[in-house]
Amino acid sequence: MATTLPPYIWKNGFAQPAKVAVWADDAHHLTDTGDGPHYTTPPAQEPLTSSSHNSLGLNVLRTWPTLYNGTESPHGAPPWWDPQKEVDVLICGGGPFGLELAVSLARQGVSFRIVDKAETPLLSGRADAIQPRSLELLHSWGLAEEVHEEGPILDHTAIFKNGMKLFYNRSFTCDSRYRGIHVITQGQLERIYIRDLLRHKAVVERRTTVEKFEVNQDSFTSYPVTATLKNLNTGRTELVHAKYLVGGDGAASAIREQLKIPFDGITTDIYWAIMDCVFKTDYPYITTFG
């Protein structure tokens, strides 16, 4: 599963093991006059990412709760955070879709609040890559570089059956400036969005759900949606009025169920396995898709 990489330092042109991570070593952040950094590195945690482990040890992933956990930060919400009772958009769900919408609204000056029942961003698993056209959209927000620098590019496809190679060639790509599939886990993408929201002074309200909502059909109402937010830790509820309510809470969306919207679609007998791991293999096309 997803795990924290050991610290290293670039010396003599290549990575070498280090006792302390560079970002945590103040000696690497001194000015020409010997002054120390003007900031303090936030405390890090390494929660477990898997219930099953192997000879390599426990699977943990370093994260910074004060940066990524929103209202569930050990230090509490930022002092500048002032949630409004009336907003243009209320977003239920802090996954990639809900966060993307928030990132877009922040750039348009549209007021919003975003809530999610999870305590933290995703630690491991689920989606694992982003397509070129998505990077075009992220480029317009100034986030493309942060995303495509997270992992390698898959630009070849290899298909084997019973040990025999059936196909190996470059993957079909569109005419985007970003070629191939860029590997990035869903959790990494969520953290990039969260960092961007912090730049716009927006925070994900963690351990919070939309318990119920009503829509006033009166055309003269400026905020027709009245939603009851519930903090799952304290049980405290709050009324929020919004012009729009967005259900970005996944396939088992509580918003969709309350609206009695059916979940149409089909299922197949095709199964995909996603593994966050270190491979030791003689497979010659390990950096390809297939």
Side-chain angles (χ1 to χ4, degrees):
M1 299 300 290
T3 188
T4 300
L5 295 176
Y8 62 89
I9 186 172
W10 287 92
K11 190 175 182 180
N12 301 325
F14 59 93
Q16 300 181 50
K19 295 182 179 179
V20 182
V22 173
W23 48 262
D25 188 352
D26 290 342
H28 288 276
H29 303 280
L30 298 178
T31 65
D32 294 337
T33 59
D35 296 328
H38 65 278
Y39 63 90
T40 301
T41 304
Q45 293 181 356
E46 292 197 338
L48 292 173
T49 61
S50 172
S51 58
S52 300
H53 309 280
N54 53 34
S55 59
L56 297 177
L58 299 179
N59 298 301
V60 297
L61 185 65
R62 184 184 298 115
T63 185
W64 289 265
T66 55
L67 180 62
Y68 295 119
N69 289 15
T71 54
E72 284 298 298
S73 164
H75 297 167
W80 44 257
W81 185 62
D82 183 24
Q84 302 298 304
K85 299 293 184 182
E86 294 181 343
V87 293
D88 294 325
V89 183
L90 175 61
I91 306 171
C92 180
F97 173 73
L99 291 170
E100 273 189 19
L101 176 59
V103 166
S104 177
L105 295 178
R107 282 161 170 74
Q108 301 175 63
V110 179
S111 64
F112 64 90
R113 288 176 66 174
I114 177 170
V115 303
D116 192 84
K117 65 182 180 180
E119 184 177 352
T120 70
L122 188 69
L123 286 173
S124 63
R126 298 187 187 172
D128 58 357
I130 194 164
Q131 300 288 340
R133 284 305 187 198
S134 297
L135 280 169
E136 292 281 0
L137 176 62
L138 293 173
H139 176 80
S140 69
W141 294 339
L143 299 177
E145 185 174 358
E146 286 188 67
V147 173
H148 69 64
E149 289 297 322
E150 283 285 347
I153 300 176
L154 302 181
D155 57 0
H156 284 69
T157 298
I159 300 177
F160 279 73
K161 182 177 181 181
N162 297 331
M164 294 184 60
K165 181 174 67 177
L166 303 181
F167 176 84
Y168 175 70
N169 209 331
R170 282 191 170 273
S171 303
F172 174 79
T173 60
C174 60
D175 58 353
S176 169
R177 73 181 72 187
Y178 302 103
R179 299 290 177 163
I181 301 173
H182 289 71
V183 176
I184 180 173
T185 68
Q186 180 173 323
Q188 289 171 309
L189 186 61
E190 289 180 8
R191 286 167 175 78
I192 290 174
Y193 289 148
I194 290 171
R195 292 199 300 267
D196 185 77
L197 289 178
L198 285 174
R199 299 180 192 119
H200 293 84
K201 290 195 171 183
V203 172
V204 179
E205 300 176 51
R206 295 285 177 188
R207 298 294 292 156
T208 303
T209 62
V210 176
E211 186 178 42
K212 59 182 179 180
F213 65 90
E214 296 178 352
V215 180
N216 189 337
Q217 301 297 335
D218 188 347
S219 59
F220 298 101
T221 302
S222 299
Y223 299 90
V225 179
T226 300
T228 301
L229 303 185
K230 182 177 181 180
N231 186 294
L232 300 179
N233 289 342
T234 64
R236 186 177 65 88
T237 60
E238 174 190 3
L239 284 181
V240 175
H241 302 279
K243 296 179 181 178
Y244 299 94
L245 171 64
V246 177
D249 45 346
S253 170
I255 303 300
R256 177 180 57 79
E257 291 178 356
Q258 291 184 58
L259 290 172
K260 295 181 171 51
I261 298 175
F263 184 65
D264 297 327
I266 60 174
T267 60
T268 71
D269 57 356
I270 299 175
Y271 293 90
W272 285 84
I274 297 177
M275 295 181 289
D276 300 317
C277 60
V278 176
F279 261 110
K280 291 185 178 180
T281 177
D282 59 357
Y283 180 64
Y285 308 109
I286 191 62
T287 58
T288 65
F289 176 77

